[in-house]
Amino acid sequence: MIKPPVQVYGVEGRYATALYSAASKNKALNAVEKDLGSLAKMLSTDIKFKDFLYEPNQKVQDKKVVLKTVAERRKVFRGYTICNVIKGPSEILNLRSKLWAIKKVLNVFCFIGAMAENGRLNKLGAVADSFSTIMAAEKGLVTCTVTVAKALDSSTQKELTKILSGFLKKGESLQLSMKVDPTVIGGMRVDFADKSVDMSMSSKLGTYTNIINQAL
């Protein structure tokens, strides 16, 4: 298995890593990245489509039919032959063997079929995000999300970018995204792909609350 340039975690991380390994061996990283990006966009813009795929009571086969129809209509996965290699749980007994099958058959549609059979379609958006993180690292980009209580002005954000860039290795570039979350109260939370630093006021208040409760 080809290891990705950055480790991603959780169930979505395992699927994204398996897909990265398969795409690397078949020299199809860019094509897979494009397909998953298109799919992620559909999930974010078509709520009915997303709800249908994520609904656990919908039949797996029905989901596959809808996926195939949407893929052909919107011209997604054109670099692949739409197939249904992974037909059912009787053929693939557990997650490990499913990931093995994904590595052997590089096809995003079949990859999604594996997720459907394992009841993991509700992780599809997260898998796309994890794969995007891997691809950013592949290109020398270090993704970083900074969460603050209030939006920063342009000069402050520019200074923050400069400070964070100072922690990168030679040849790496920072890909910064800002999020606003009033619950952090003050300070900020900095999340890289493989590490996180919580400097928010809410975190400090939580620590102080625990200390007080232990003392009482």
Side-chain angles (χ1 to χ4, degrees):
M1 182 175 185
I2 299 177
K3 292 184 178 180
V6 65
Q7 187 174 359
V8 285
Y9 301 92
V11 172
E12 58 269 29
R14 287 189 302 227
Y15 276 105
T17 298
L19 186 59
Y20 170 82
S21 180
S24 295
K25 292 176 182 177
N26 287 272
K27 302 185 186 305
L29 283 173
N30 291 333
V32 171
E33 181 184 25
K34 183 178 179 180
D35 280 352
L36 273 187
S38 297
L39 182 59
K41 185 176 181 180
M42 278 190 276
L43 291 174
S44 64
T45 57
D46 192 332
I47 303 303
K48 289 185 178 180
F49 175 62
K50 178 181 177 180
D51 288 345
F52 178 81
L53 292 185
Y54 284 20
E55 172 54 55
N57 294 322
Q58 292 288 352
K59 293 182 179 179
V60 171
Q61 191 56 41
D62 291 342
K63 292 182 180 182
K64 288 183 178 181
V65 170
V66 169
L67 275 167
K68 181 177 180 179
T69 301
V70 171
E72 292 175 340
R73 183 179 301 167
R74 301 197 183 189
K75 299 181 180 179
V76 183
F77 314 147
R78 287 180 67 85
Y80 308 88
T81 300
I82 297 300
C83 69
N84 190 6
V85 172
I86 302 171
K87 297 178 180 179
S90 61
E91 294 183 16
I92 301 167
L93 301 178
N94 52 45
L95 176 61
R96 181 178 298 176
S97 61
K98 284 192 177 187
L99 294 181
W100 177 86
I102 291 168
K103 296 173 200 170
K104 292 296 181 182
V105 183
L106 179 60
N107 182 301
V108 174
F109 186 79
C110 293
F111 170 80
I112 296 172
M115 292 185 65
E117 291 291 350
N118 206 36
R120 296 294 191 181
L121 277 184
N122 62 335
K123 294 285 186 180
L124 195 51
V127 170
D129 289 341
S130 292
F131 191 83
S132 179
T133 297
I134 291 173
M135 288 305 298
E138 179 78 11
K139 299 171 184 176
L141 299 175
V142 177
T143 58
C144 177
T145 301
V146 174
T147 306
V148 293
K150 294 182 180 180
L152 303 179
D153 57 55
S154 58
S155 61
T156 303
Q157 186 169 328
K158 184 177 180 180
E159 182 63 23
L160 176 62
T161 300
K162 182 179 179 180
I163 293 172
L164 292 174
S165 296
F167 293 100
L168 304 184
K169 299 176 183 177
K170 185 177 180 180
E172 293 180 335
S173 300
L174 183 70
Q175 188 175 52
L176 179 66
S177 61
M178 301 294 302
K179 286 187 178 181
V180 175
D181 181 0
T183 63
V184 303
I185 304 175
M188 65 181 64
R189 186 170 63 248
V190 182
D191 296 300
F192 287 93
D194 55 352
K195 51 183 168 290
S196 178
V197 180
D198 194 341
M199 299 178 288
S200 65
M201 182 59 70
S202 61
S203 175
K204 292 179 180 179
L205 289 175
T207 301
Y208 296 151
T209 299
N210 289 334
I211 292 174
I212 293 173
N213 287 336
Q214 290 175 9
L216 295 176

